[in-house]
Amino acid sequence: MAQRNMVEALNQALALELEQDRRVLCFGEDVGKAGGVFRVTDGLQQQFGEQRVFDTPIAESGIIGMAAGLAAGGLRPIPEIQFMGFIYPAMNQICTQVARLHWRSGGRFPMPIVIRTPFTGLVHSPELHSDCLESLFVHTPGLKVVVPASPYEAKGLFHAAMADPDPVLFVESIKLYRLFREEVPDDYYTIALGQARVARPGRQVTVAAWGAMVVTALQAAEVAAGRGIDCEVIDLRSLWPLDRQTLCDSVQRTGRLVVVQEAPGAASVATEVMAAVSTGAFWSLLAPPVRVCGWDVPYPQPTLEEFYVPDVERVLAGIEEVLKD
């Protein structure tokens, strides 16, 4: 079993999908000849041809609008939005077409689309390149939202997203693309959507996170263990559908909850996680849940990213806060 980083795992997953099903098409800005900004699609155009892996104009609304038409015609498109901060021009197509057309057509037009897009900071990207906008799409009925936290998870979740009849927004953390390697099977495998995983078992505090923040949460849990605090880390994997059962089971064991996200806290996924636990495990809570989030300001310039993105010290402060009571 080969050691792969997330870029390599996703590249292999895309190649497998293109190889197994000729209805699969991969397209977006620079995904063809250049292989994508982060080289996730590197070599795919050479392997499968310009008819199946191709570049598009710089027009996000056109990319997703084309994907909706292709899906309605029986194909299985994988459009890429180059950075999540560029997704606003495609909101109409995603929210009023892709997420609704199956329902509006009475089932005549399923939308088996997987929209890939990267997000997160600490890689010194320019403005609009690091914005974390996942809550906008969790709030969009008809759309599933998936955020992998490792190379192994990325490949398995991507295959599951491609097998799903509903449209999926597949969000990839830029920071994780080449952060580490792990064993990733060469063969096809899936990780079910809507099922969180216990990334680290513990007894005193539940720390829930997704994407790159799972790594930060695990690092914080390791430091906390040295201070005699036993944290359980939950990787949500899917932000929608949300695995409330795993979250509530964990909090019923630990009695405390800290939610970590890079996005701003207001009206966010972190808020939804806290609400789910407050209704599903209220009598187990020993202290009010705590959020550790990005600040409620526009995503800052690269020189200020380290003050915006939650780090280990901020997560540890959240853990200590819920242990006060």
Side-chain angles (χ1 to χ4, degrees), residues 11-41:
N11 181 271
Q12 186 185 58
L14 285 160
L16 282 172
E17 293 292 342
L18 286 158
E19 181 180 348
Q20 292 176 3
D21 190 343
R22 290 197 58 81
R23 296 176 299 165
V24 173
L25 303 174
C26 183
F27 53 88
E29 298 164 14
D30 299 318
V31 305
K33 184 177 180 180
V37 173
F38 299 102
R39 303 299 181 262
V40 174
T41 56

Side-chain angles (χ1 to χ4, degrees), residues 27-274:
F27 53 88
E29 298 164 14
D30 299 318
V31 305
K33 184 177 180 180
V37 173
F38 299 102
R39 303 299 181 262
V40 174
T41 56
D42 189 34
L44 297 181
Q45 186 179 83
Q46 291 85 341
Q47 185 175 355
F48 297 100
E50 296 181 5
Q51 298 299 311
R52 299 187 62 205
V53 181
F54 53 90
D55 295 325
T56 65
I58 302 174
E60 286 75 19
S61 60
I63 293 169
I64 303 303
M66 178 169 61
L70 291 169
L75 299 178
R76 302 187 70 87
I78 310 172
E80 178 188 293
I81 299 297
Q82 196 171 69
F83 291 90
M84 197 176 202
F86 298 172
I87 209 165
Y88 287 110
M91 290 292 288
N92 181 41
Q93 284 69 31
I94 295 172
C95 299
T96 65
Q97 296 177 14
V98 171
R100 291 174 180 259
L101 194 54
H102 190 203
W103 172 77
R104 288 174 61 195
S105 66
R108 289 175 56 213
F109 298 113
M111 288 282 108
I113 301 171
V114 178
I115 303 170
R116 293 184 45 251
T117 189
F119 76 157
T120 70
L122 296 181
V123 290
H124 303 292
S125 298
E127 186 180 8
L128 299 176
H129 288 61
S130 301
D131 295 55
C132 299
L133 308 175
E134 61 266 37
S135 62
L136 300 180
F137 300 99
V138 170
H139 198 66
T140 301
L143 189 68
K144 295 179 179 177
V145 183
V146 176
V147 188
S150 76
Y152 177 86
E153 298 284 318
K155 183 178 176 183
L157 288 168
F158 185 81
H159 285 315
M162 286 297 296
D164 198 289
D166 293 322
V168 178
L169 183 68
F170 196 87
V171 188
E172 303 157 11
S173 298
I174 300 170
K175 183 181 175 182
L176 295 181
Y177 272 151
R178 292 178 173 84
L179 185 64
F180 63 92
R181 293 175 176 272
E182 65 179 353
E183 290 188 346
V184 178
D186 293 330
D187 298 333
Y188 179 95
Y189 65 94
T190 62
I191 296 172
L193 305 187
Q195 293 184 11
R197 70 179 175 108
V198 179
R200 176 190 175 111
R203 297 176 294 103
Q204 289 180 276
V205 180
T206 296
V207 183
W210 51 95
M213 289 295 100
V214 173
V215 174
T216 302
L218 287 168
Q219 292 170 341
E222 190 67 27
V223 176
R227 301 177 183 179
I229 303 170
D230 191 14
C231 295
E232 179 156 291
V233 177
I234 304 296
D235 172 12
L236 293 186
R237 288 173 165 165
S238 294
L239 304 186
W240 198 263
L242 181 65
D243 184 356
R244 293 176 172 85
Q245 190 63 55
T246 297
L247 281 166
C248 291
D249 287 348
S250 179
V251 172
Q252 285 167 359
R253 289 191 296 271
T254 66
R256 295 174 173 87
L257 173 67
V258 175
V259 190
V260 185
Q261 66 174 26
E262 189 169 331
S268 65
V269 175
T271 307
E272 178 64 24
V273 170
M274 292 168 66

Side-chain angles (χ1 to χ4, degrees), residues 279-298:
T279 54
F282 178 79
W283 299 109
S284 298
L285 285 169
L286 301 175
V290 169
R291 291 179 300 180
V292 180
C293 307
W295 309 115
D296 291 326
V297 298

